[in-house]
Amino acid sequence: MDARQRSGRQGRPGHGRAPQRPRNPIDAALPSVGGRAQAVLVIFALIAVVFFLRLVFLQVIVADQYSAQAEESRTISFTTTPHRGTIYDRNGIVLATSVDATTIYANPVEVTDVAAEARSLAGVLGGEAADYEALLSKQETSFVYIKRQAEVSEAERVKDLKLDGIYFIADTRREYPHGSIGGQVIGYCNVDGEGITGLELQYNDILSGTPGTYTAERGEKGFPIPGGVKEETPAVDGQDIMISLDIKLQDTVEQAVLEGMEQIETDEGSAIVMDAATGEIYAACSLPFMNPADMASSEIGSEHVKAITQVYEPGSTFKSVSAMAILEAKAMTPESTMFCPSTITANDYDVSDSHERDDEVMTLREILNHSSNVGISLAMDNAGFDHLYDAIGRYHLTERTGVDYPGEGSGHVEEFKNWSKIIGYNVSFGQGISVTPLQMVRFYGCIANDGVMVTPHFLISKPQTGEVADYATEVVTEDAEALADMRSMLRTVVTDGSGAAADVEGYPVCGKTSTAEIPSELGGYKKGIYNLGFCGFIDGASTNLVCFVGANEVPYQRKTTQVFSAIMDNAVKQYNITSS
């Protein structure tokens, strides 16, 4: 077969393979793979993409977050307590102060012998070893408090034990040198140095200062790195304050109240002594007393001065408000007379005096001396109940006084448009109206202070800055004649009337007693028990103190006048008070 024939056979249609497309260089370089191999390559590529995206996420998107977590895992941080400002009484005596203390804490991770260290701690700090063992066994944390604000000497004894994982922070602790004396006014702080009650709460922003921060690095097992203090912001100490309280007089007042209430046979009594010319409160208390240095033993309800925070129906001490309204209205003088039957009726209610008597004619002075409900009701009715309502408003008798003490009560009286005759009668002798004892003290102070009403307060100054507190005063009445007559009538209440036991030898005491019925939760008034009170002052005194003494939930045949006398007798000696 020649060459032409071979070529002809190869070129026949339908015989041999189809011509192939030329391969590019890359394809030629790679080995040819089947379908299964291609699937493996795709999976591998997807995995690579996932790892790449995860790497981008960790190193770019959440890098700061994980860095912070890593930082936190090797640091220990806590807040440092500033030195809280000192509270001084009006004579510069320390009432509350912060002293150096040491807070003891542990890193349980570092504790090598939990039981032994727990026994050692109990031996120095007291308490049960089991309690310390429970703290030292908390392996899930690197910080637990062992004892906060321990005595410095106590902490030094623990340091001497050289226990593994036990550390110390310089701290402060609040101390109250006078215990329960003035405790309700001063208040107390919690372990974090925050004011909880009293002036510690009222002036917390001034006293507290600004906490600092402390952050230190620690090693792999939690051990502090030498010199590893990473950040330390010093605490800024708080400011001192000087208050109007006189701790010596406060002690006298508390003892007088305590002894007086035992004689009166009640567990509830209170007192306030205020300078009528300045509004400075020299003493204030209510039973039961509170000891801020030992809150664990303080009774429920002891944390407030109830004469400031709680309202009550004042009873006969309020008759002075009615008498003042009558005098200002020029409806009667102290010697004007009025027929006073034994009983009067209004709106189907009977009004009588607290003691039985016959019909008689009385002067306005005698009405006040003998504390006649009927007499003051008729006298006020004749003058016009609108004058009484006006006086209640002008003397701010149901409004908060603005005293710088937390939780002050306000009071309430029905709007005048809703007054019936019986409401007018009742309010005239101190029923159907609620006030605080402090509001009554402010009113009596206004009478003593020639019609000028002051703002009751405790804060006097900030010694470190020299800032002196300023308080508003208001001229409530310029009726000098009515004021003089009012003082004259309050004086004869003591010399000739129900307040005889309030007198202080050699001094013209003015004041008014009260035996107030107590509203019942079931409606009407409780039977056989009363709230007693006396509010008064020394006329023309060189130190113009006004004092209230109250006793709650007591039998009728009692008075608080003798407690008032004991307090004021001490005050005139302590302050060398003279009277014009």
Side-chain angles (χ1 to χ4, degrees):
M1 181 177 298
D2 58 21
R4 188 179 52 194
Q5 290 176 323
R6 286 195 299 271
S7 299
R9 284 197 299 268
Q10 290 172 349
R12 288 182 191 175
H15 293 274
R17 295 181 179 176
Q20 296 181 352
R21 180 180 299 173
R23 300 171 66 190
N24 61 50
I26 295 176
D27 291 339
L30 292 175
S32 60
V33 293
R36 178 176 299 177
Q38 288 179 348
V40 172
L41 287 174
V42 170
I43 293 172
F44 178 79
L46 290 173
I47 292 173
V49 169
V50 169
F51 275 103
F52 175 75
L53 293 175
R54 177 65 176 170
L55 186 63
V56 171
F57 177 76
L58 292 175
Q59 292 191 346
V60 178
I61 298 176
V62 296
D64 292 343
Q65 177 182 341
Y66 278 94
S67 177
Q69 290 178 354
E71 178 83 7
E72 183 180 352
S73 69
R74 67 174 191 272
T75 60
I76 182 170
S77 301
F78 48 81
T79 299
T80 56
T81 306
H83 192 282
R84 190 173 176 88
T86 298
I87 301 176
Y88 298 95
D89 87 336
R90 65 185 305 107
N91 299 309
I93 298 172
V94 173
L95 303 180
T97 189
S98 292
V99 298
D100 289 338
T102 303
T103 287
I104 306 170
Y105 74 95
N107 181 352
V109 176
E110 303 174 30
V111 178
T112 54
D113 189 338
V114 170
E117 291 201 13
R119 288 193 298 271
S120 297
L121 289 170
V124 175
L125 301 177
E128 299 295 327
D131 296 332
Y132 297 105
E133 191 167 342
L135 293 171
L136 299 176
S137 300
K138 292 183 176 181
Q139 295 297 309
E140 72 279 3
T141 182
S142 59
F143 185 98
V144 292
Y145 284 114
I146 298 300
K147 183 170 183 178
R148 300 190 67 180
Q149 300 174 355
E151 296 277 356
V152 173
S153 59
E154 194 175 41
E156 290 297 326
R157 292 199 299 275
V158 176
K159 284 182 184 179
D160 292 341
L161 297 174
K162 301 185 184 306
L163 302 175
D164 292 338
I166 303 299
Y167 300 98
F168 307 86
I169 307 168
D171 206 344
T172 62
R173 183 182 66 253
R174 201 65 165 164
E175 286 194 350
Y176 302 92
H178 301 278
S180 63
I181 303 171
Q184 293 166 324
V185 174
I186 300 163
Y188 77 99
C189 293
N190 62 16
V191 72
D192 294 316
E194 300 166 332
I196 301 300
T197 67
L199 299 184
E200 291 277 30
L201 172 60
Q202 182 75 25
Y203 291 111
N204 188 63
D205 291 346
I206 296 172
L207 294 164
S208 62
T210 304
T213 59
Y214 178 91
T215 303
E217 291 186 86
R218 58 191 178 188
E220 180 181 351
K221 294 184 178 181
F223 293 92
I225 297 174
V229 175
K230 186 177 178 67
E231 179 181 351
E232 185 173 15
T233 303
V236 179
D237 292 343
Q239 292 187 55
D240 302 340
I241 61 173
M242 176 173 282
I243 66 171
S244 59
L245 212 67
D246 184 323
I247 199 64
K248 183 179 178 182
L249 183 65
Q250 177 76 26
D251 188 18
T252 297
V253 170
E254 290 185 11
Q255 288 301 315
V257 168
L258 187 62
E259 294 170 7
M261 297 310 112
E262 287 178 355
Q263 295 175 2
I264 293 172
E265 299 180 16
T266 181
D267 295 328
E268 296 189 33
S270 60
I272 295 179
V273 180
M274 185 190 82
D275 189 328
T278 66
E280 294 175 4
I281 299 175
Y282 282 51
C285 68
S286 60
L287 290 174
F289 299 144
M290 183 193 85
N291 185 353
D294 184 17
M295 289 303 297
S297 64
S298 294
E299 299 179 44
I300 295 174
S302 66
E303 65 273 17
H304 303 297
V305 179
K306 295 169 189 164
I308 298 175
T309 62
Q310 290 187 1
V311 299
Y312 76 124
E313 290 195 359
S316 295
T317 51
F318 197 83
K319 288 173 182 169
S320 299
V321 180
S322 298
M324 189 65 189
I326 292 166
L327 293 172
E328 288 181 293
K330 308 303 178 185
M332 295 180 73
T333 69
E335 312 312 324
S336 299
T337 59
M338 172 174 287
F339 174 69
C340 301
S342 59
T343 304
I344 55 176
T345 301
N347 305 109
D348 297 325
Y349 290 93
D350 293 333
V351 174
S352 62
D353 291 352
S354 57
H355 52 280
E356 291 187 11
R357 63 169 180 82
D358 296 329
D359 298 348
E360 60 181 296
V361 174
M362 296 188 203
T363 63
L364 183 59
R365 185 184 300 275
E366 289 171 332
I367 288 171
L368 208 61
N369 286 351
H370 303 303
S371 200
S372 172
N373 296 337
V374 171
I376 199 70
S377 295
L378 292 176
M380 194 69 254
D381 189 12
N382 288 346
F385 291 129
D386 57 324
H387 289 291
L388 175 56
Y389 190 78
D390 171 70
I392 292 169
R394 278 190 296 113
Y395 290 98
H396 308 292
L397 280 160
T398 58
E399 303 171 21
R400 291 184 176 89
T401 67
V403 65
D404 51 342
Y405 187 84
E408 182 187 10
S410 55
H412 175 74
V413 67
E414 189 68 38
E415 290 186 29
F416 188 67
K417 64 182 181 181
N418 298 326
W419 279 31
S420 60
K421 179 162 284 194
I422 191 60
I423 289 178
Y425 283 172
N426 286 342
V427 174
S428 298
F429 54 83
Q431 283 189 354
I433 183 172
S434 61
V435 298
T436 65
L438 181 60
Q439 289 166 339
M440 293 307 301
V441 166
R442 183 171 63 162
F443 169 76
Y444 276 77
C446 184
I447 302 304
N449 196 35
D450 296 324
V452 179
M453 181 165 282
V454 297
T455 302
H457 61 272
F458 290 101
L459 180 65
I460 294 178
S461 66
K462 302 174 186 176
Q464 289 152 311
T465 64
E467 181 182 351
V468 177
D470 186 35
Y471 299 92
T473 61
E474 179 184 356
V475 178
V476 178
T477 180
E478 296 180 337
D479 193 333
E481 182 182 17
L483 287 165
D485 286 344
M486 190 71 246
R487 290 192 292 268
S488 172
M489 288 195 295
L490 291 174
R491 175 62 184 148
T492 54
V493 168
V494 177
T495 58
D496 304 332
S498 57
D503 213 6
V504 175
E505 186 176 356
Y507 291 86
V509 171
C510 306
K512 183 71 186 74
T513 55
S514 175
T515 305
E517 292 187 287
I518 304 172
S520 170
E521 298 81 1
L522 303 176
Y525 289 86
K526 296 180 180 180
K527 302 296 183 183
I529 55 173
Y530 302 87
N531 289 338
L532 308 181
F534 183 87
C535 195
F537 53 89
I538 294 173
D539 194 17
S542 54
T543 302
N544 206 359
L545 301 181
V546 57
C547 176
F548 168 88
V549 179
N552 298 341
E553 305 274 341
V554 299
Y556 170 58
Q557 298 297 334
R558 305 286 191 277
K559 287 184 178 180
T560 62
T561 46
Q562 70 277 11
V563 183
F564 171 93
S565 179
I567 292 171
M568 294 301 284
D569 183 63
N570 184 278
V572 298
K573 295 172 182 174
Q574 181 173 334
Y575 302 119
N576 297 315
I577 294 175
T578 59
S579 173
S580 58

